[in-house]
């Protein structure tokens, strides 16, 4: 059993098509099949089921796929870190983020880190949810992920960095815009712009409102927080959103952010597979992000 055997097997499980794996890896389909057959012969168990439209892992195959995918990710991360140590200040830091993350949470950190390490390559992978960011970590496609902190995830460490109070975003002409704060009961009659359905922020908000016996009438839904704010600014509804760094209500006729103190804040922060195994450049970028958000540096 070789690392290459496991890489090919995991790819076959993920794509469900040996021809696609062969094409992606620039190999013949016969060579791909041999990798899988070698694993099956060594383990004495069938790992893939052949179907007219492709392949799927058997029960034994799913066990091996899960373990191999995690193991390969850790090995590749270690190899990257060793190359960083060898090459010095010239590596790469890969960050999985949400659609609005870089602008609201990382802009100062990026500038500071870039000045300190001009040769380091920063790669940002934009995902549509914290769950997708965590999946990118688990697959070894990212070193760090900025997420809405939530329930524990196996194999992932989460570190809260900042707490985001909830606010109601409304057009300046809306009667609620003149309030110093609003209570959950005041939300019953708003035209609610829903947060992304698969986001942790949406789930957090829904749980809190359900506990308070508040039901919101939705007029529309959006893919990210910034779009919710834009629609509120245009007078097309009301958005209950976390108060993100960098959001302001400055121009006349623009959006206003009215505090919702009764709702518990939303925690955001970093996630990694293993902090102790994180490369020095990724650790420094994460620390720079913490410092710029908390005023520690």
């Amino acid at each position: 059993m070789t690392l290459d055997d496991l890489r090919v097997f995991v790819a076959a499980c993920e794509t469900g098509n040996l021809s696609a794996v062969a094409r992606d890896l620039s190999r013949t389909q016969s060579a791909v099949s041999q990798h899988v057959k070698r694993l099956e012969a060594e383990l004495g168990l069938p790992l893939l089921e052949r179907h007219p439209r492709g392949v799927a892992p058997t029960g034994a195959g799913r066990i091996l796929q899960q373990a191999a995918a995690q193991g390969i990710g850790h090995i590749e991360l270690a190899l990257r870190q060793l190359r960083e140590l060898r090459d010095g200040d010239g590596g790469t830091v890969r960050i999985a983020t949400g659609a609005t993350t870089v602008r609201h949470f990382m802009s100062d950190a990026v500038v500071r880190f870039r000045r300190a390490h001009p040769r380091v390559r920063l790669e940002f992978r934009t995902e549509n949810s914290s769950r997708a960011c965590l999946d990118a970590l688990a697959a070894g496609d990212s070193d760090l992920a900025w997420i809405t902190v939530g329930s524990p995830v196996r194999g992932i460490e989460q570190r809260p960095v900042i707490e985001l109070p909830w606010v109601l975003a409304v057009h300046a002409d809306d009667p609620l815009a003149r309030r110093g704060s609003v209570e959950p009961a005041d939300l019953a009659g708003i035209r609610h712009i829903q947060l992304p359905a698969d986001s942790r922020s949406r789930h957090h908000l829904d749980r809190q409102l359900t506990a308070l016996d508040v039901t919101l009438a939705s007029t529309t839904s959006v893919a990210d927080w910034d779009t919710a704010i834009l629609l509120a600014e245009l007078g097309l509804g009301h958005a209950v959103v976390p108060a993100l760094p960098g959001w302001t209500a400055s121009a006349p006729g623009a959006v206003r952010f009215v505090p919702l103190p009764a709702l518990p804040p939303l925690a955001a922060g970093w996630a990694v597979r293993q902090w102790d195994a994180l490369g020095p450049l990724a650790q420094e970028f994460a620390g720079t992000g913490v410092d710029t958000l908390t005023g520690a540096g």
Side-chain angles (χ1 to χ4, degrees):
M1 181 184 303
T2 67
L3 184 60
D4 204 30
D5 291 337
L6 294 172
R7 280 198 182 100
V8 171
F9 172 69
V10 170
C13 292
E14 291 176 346
T15 63
N17 188 296
L18 297 183
S19 297
V21 173
R23 185 168 57 252
D24 292 343
L25 299 179
S26 300
R27 308 183 190 190
T28 65
Q29 184 170 337
S30 175
V32 169
S33 296
Q34 286 303 314
H35 284 288
V36 177
K37 290 179 180 178
R38 186 158 48 239
L39 288 173
E40 291 178 327
E42 181 170 344
L43 296 172
L45 291 167
L47 300 175
L48 290 180
E49 296 175 340
R50 276 69 174 178
H51 302 289
R53 295 187 177 182
V55 296
T58 62
R62 284 191 293 273
I63 294 173
L64 181 61
Q65 176 193 6
Q66 182 176 5
Q70 187 174 33
I72 291 170
H74 285 305
I75 291 171
E76 291 179 342
L77 175 61
L79 293 175
R80 289 185 61 251
Q81 292 168 353
L82 292 172
R83 286 193 290 269
E84 285 182 11
L85 292 175
R86 181 193 65 196
D87 299 337
D89 192 10
T92 300
V93 179
R94 303 171 302 165
I95 307 106
T97 74
T100 63
T101 296
V102 177
R103 183 192 345 181
H104 294 298
F105 295 101
M106 294 187 197
S107 55
D108 291 342
V110 169
V111 172
R112 186 182 298 185
F113 185 84
R114 175 62 66 212
R115 287 172 179 168
H117 303 283
R119 294 178 56 233
V120 174
R121 179 186 175 94
L122 294 175
E123 294 182 356
F124 292 96
R125 177 187 178 117
T126 302
E127 301 289 355
N128 60 4
S129 67
S130 291
R131 177 71 263 175
C133 289
L134 294 172
D135 289 343
L137 275 182
D141 295 329
S142 296
D143 305 309
L144 295 160
W146 183 265
I147 63 165
T148 298
V149 177
S151 302
V153 178
R154 183 178 180 182
I156 300 292
E157 297 181 31
Q158 303 179 55
R159 289 193 177 181
V161 173
I162 188 171
E163 287 195 336
L164 308 171
W166 290 93
V167 296
L168 178 67
V170 299
H171 191 274
D173 293 336
D174 191 286
L176 290 174
R178 296 188 289 273
R179 300 277 293 273
S181 65
V182 294
E183 297 299 323
D186 298 324
L187 304 177
I190 68 171
R191 296 169 297 152
H192 184 217
I193 301 168
Q194 285 189 324
L195 299 178
D198 58 350
S199 67
R200 283 185 167 188
S201 56
R202 164 81 172 272
H203 295 159
H204 177 97
L205 178 61
D206 287 348
R207 285 197 305 271
Q208 300 303 326
L209 293 177
T210 298
L212 294 168
D213 197 26
V214 174
T215 301
L216 302 185
S218 173
T219 59
T220 187
S221 60
V222 295
D224 57 70
W225 297 336
D226 274 356
T227 304
I229 295 302
L230 175 60
L231 295 181
E233 184 174 2
L234 294 174
L236 301 179
H238 307 73
V240 180
V241 291
L244 300 182
W247 275 359
T248 60
S250 54
V255 67
R256 296 290 185 264
F257 299 123
V258 186
L260 272 161
L263 296 182
L266 188 72
W270 289 115
V272 301
R273 281 178 293 178
Q274 187 177 350
W275 284 101
D276 292 342
L278 200 61
L281 292 173
Q283 285 190 14
E284 183 171 346
F285 184 83
T288 302
V290 173
D291 291 345
T292 56
L293 287 170
T294 62

